[in-house]
Amino acid sequence: MTAASPTIARAVDSPRRDLRDLTLDELEQLAAAAGERSYRGRQVAHWLHQKGARSFDAMRDLPSPLRAYLSERFTLAIPAVARVSRSADGTRKLLLRLGDGAEIETVIIPADGRTTLCMSSQAGCAMGCEFCATARMGLHRNLTAAEMLGQIIAARGELTAGDALTNFVFMGMGEPLANYPMLIRTLTIMTSAWGMAISPRRITVSTVGLVPMMARLAAEIPVNLAVSLHATTNSLRDRLAPVNRRYPLEQLLDACRRLPLRRRSRITFEYVMLAGVNDSPANARRLAKLLGPVRAKVNLIFFNPFEGTALGTSPRESVEAFQAILRKGNLTATIRESRGLDIAAACGQLYAEDHPGA
Ligand code: SAH
């Protein structure tokens, strides 16, 4: 019998550690520490991630002393669905309540034969982007891996029979790369054969541009990367996405050029179209030039307004003209139609605190 690793020991001490936070190695060590054969660890992983077990007792083929050992040391919590809002376009927004009362949102988006889950990585966000409602909450805290995975389990519980989540995007609340260790843990569990066995090609991590973490992520797990760019000059990007002061455009684009990408894959650059701010033809031409040396595609996003913002949505003609200039510059550019606008589930509208109009 091996002693529990330091990680496990810490896990046991922490009142908040959830069994779903653990990797296969850790589950196997735990089984050994409980006096069981290590294959029991794999069995536990199967219950947690394939079957979405909601209780220790649900893991029926585990010896009951092992179930007791686990339940004394770990929680096994799935975020509670506090509210479901349904959009006329089929988008569903789930307000989830976590163990400590923190609330986050996760959005189910059916479109074109796919069902995408837009996941949160933090409760709130510290990045302070001017055009984003979540920024106004400030950062409450990082989510644990179990809380990120719990969004998938909670969302699966809302699907009708025969429906399945096909794609996963970390584009909900929070900056995923600011919660790096937990993000890697989550992605490891999502993509491993012993975990959820989801192909990394079906997963996209969206970042405001935390340069050092982008390189680390690309080296660790080959998920798709999206970068929220939104501006073609440092002065404007400093204002819209203040993290630009730390990692200015040159540094960000240089990092993007060097990222090890899968064959034929490209980085998605998100660009939210703000009327009179960043949507002129001159901006489009600069963007085409900036992205010329990068394996890039551009996703133009209609700005989704929220209460209290002075920013406005670009008219469709401007967005289409912008797209045409990018295409002439040989860039792939798509326009992202807003989904779930009527239930404030669209990009940048996630805001989970009680507030007027919520
Ligand atoms: N922090 C990460 C992920 C969350 S934001 C990031 O910055 O990428 C996910 C996407 O929603 C980003 O591209 C962001 O720019 C966009 N977004 C934020 N607020 C928006 C709004 N009000 N309207 C449209 N898109 C918005």
Side-chain angles (χ1 to χ4, degrees):
M1 182 159 68
T2 40
S5 74
T7 325
I8 305 285
R10 263 203 313 283
V12 174
D13 292 343
S14 157
R16 282 246 304 271
R17 198 74 194 259
D18 194 279
L19 194 61
R20 233 179 289 272
D21 280 323
L22 304 193
T23 61
L24 179 62
D25 275 2
E26 291 166 344
L27 289 171
E28 287 176 346
Q29 288 174 40
L30 201 57
E36 298 284 344
R37 306 270 297 280
S38 74
Y39 78 89
R40 294 291 186 191
R42 192 171 285 271
Q43 233 176 337
V44 173
H46 189 78
W47 277 112
L48 294 175
H49 306 299
Q50 293 286 324
K51 300 196 171 172
R54 286 169 185 261
S55 72
F56 294 97
D57 284 338
M59 307 186 202
R60 288 184 305 274
D61 56 3
L62 292 186
S64 61
L66 178 58
R67 270 185 272 162
Y69 181 91
L70 297 175
S71 67
E72 280 158 18
R73 288 163 176 80
F74 293 90
T75 58
L76 189 52
I78 290 169
V81 180
R83 188 170 66 221
V84 181
S85 317
R86 282 161 214 279
S87 162
D89 67 20
T91 299
R92 269 163 293 171
K93 178 171 76 170
L94 275 49
L95 177 71
L96 301 179
R97 190 164 299 131
L98 307 178
D100 64 348
E103 291 183 338
I104 56 165
E105 295 182 320
T106 196
V107 185
I108 304 170
I109 311 163
D112 313 324
R114 298 189 296 198
T115 302
T116 301
L117 187 67
C118 180
M119 298 167 64
S120 294
S121 54
Q122 299 179 311
C125 186
M127 296 296 122
C129 297
E130 184 183 342
F131 51 83
C132 178
T134 306
R136 312 213 157 182
M137 294 172 61
L139 178 63
H140 292 198
R141 66 171 174 85
N142 281 329
L143 300 187
T144 63
E147 289 166 341
M148 287 189 258
L149 299 166
Q151 294 170 55
I152 299 175
I153 299 170
R156 283 179 175 158
E158 295 298 317
L159 299 177
T160 43
D163 245 355
L165 299 173
T166 58
N167 294 72
F168 302 83
V169 298
F170 286 86
M171 293 186 186
M173 303 168 84
E175 168 51 46
L177 296 188
N179 185 12
Y180 192 80
M182 280 300 157
L183 177 72
I184 290 295
R185 207 167 250 277
T186 305
L187 294 174
T188 300
I189 295 170
M190 286 175 75
T191 57
S192 295
W194 54 261
M196 291 180 166
I198 297 167
S199 164
R201 288 162 196 262
R202 294 180 173 278
I203 303 173
T204 301
V205 171
S206 182
T207 178
V208 70
L210 302 188
V211 167
M213 296 298 141
M214 286 166 53
R216 276 181 68 183
L217 175 65
E220 278 190 76
I221 303 189
V223 292
N224 304 304
L225 189 70
V227 175
S228 295
L229 198 66
H230 311 314
T232 55
T233 62
N234 279 319
S235 58
L236 181 60
R237 197 163 191 273
D238 282 352
R239 180 191 128 193
L240 296 178
V243 74
N244 192 69
R245 294 176 202 147
R246 221 180 334 149
Y247 306 113
L249 276 174
E250 306 73 51
Q251 217 176 308
L252 176 59
L253 293 170
D254 190 53
C256 290
R257 244 192 331 267
R258 294 160 190 270
L259 284 185
L261 295 182
R262 280 193 316 259
R263 279 204 312 147
R264 269 177 293 150
S265 87
R266 285 179 290 179
I267 301 172
T268 301
F269 288 87
E270 297 161 278
Y271 193 98
V272 55
M273 297 291 288
L274 302 164
V277 175
N278 66 355
D279 63 344
S280 70
N283 278 280
R285 286 190 292 272
R286 265 201 306 273
L287 184 58
K289 208 162 146 200
L290 278 177
L291 294 183
V294 186
R295 280 162 62 187
K297 56 186 171 190
V298 177
N299 202 342
L300 301 174
I301 310 174
F302 281 100
F303 170 63
N304 298 309
F306 47 88
E307 215 176 278
T309 179
L311 295 164
T313 310
S314 296
R316 184 169 290 270
E317 307 83 74
S318 311
V319 179
E320 285 172 358
F322 200 97
Q323 179 188 35
I325 295 171
L326 296 180
R327 287 185 168 169
K328 238 190 276 152
N330 275 324
L331 270 176
T332 305
T334 50
I335 298 176
R336 188 195 291 168
E337 300 296 337
S338 292
R339 303 292 310 266
L341 255 183
D342 51 342
I343 54 167
C347 284
Q349 294 188 324
L350 303 185
Y351 190 106
E353 265 184 341
D354 280 340
H355 66 295

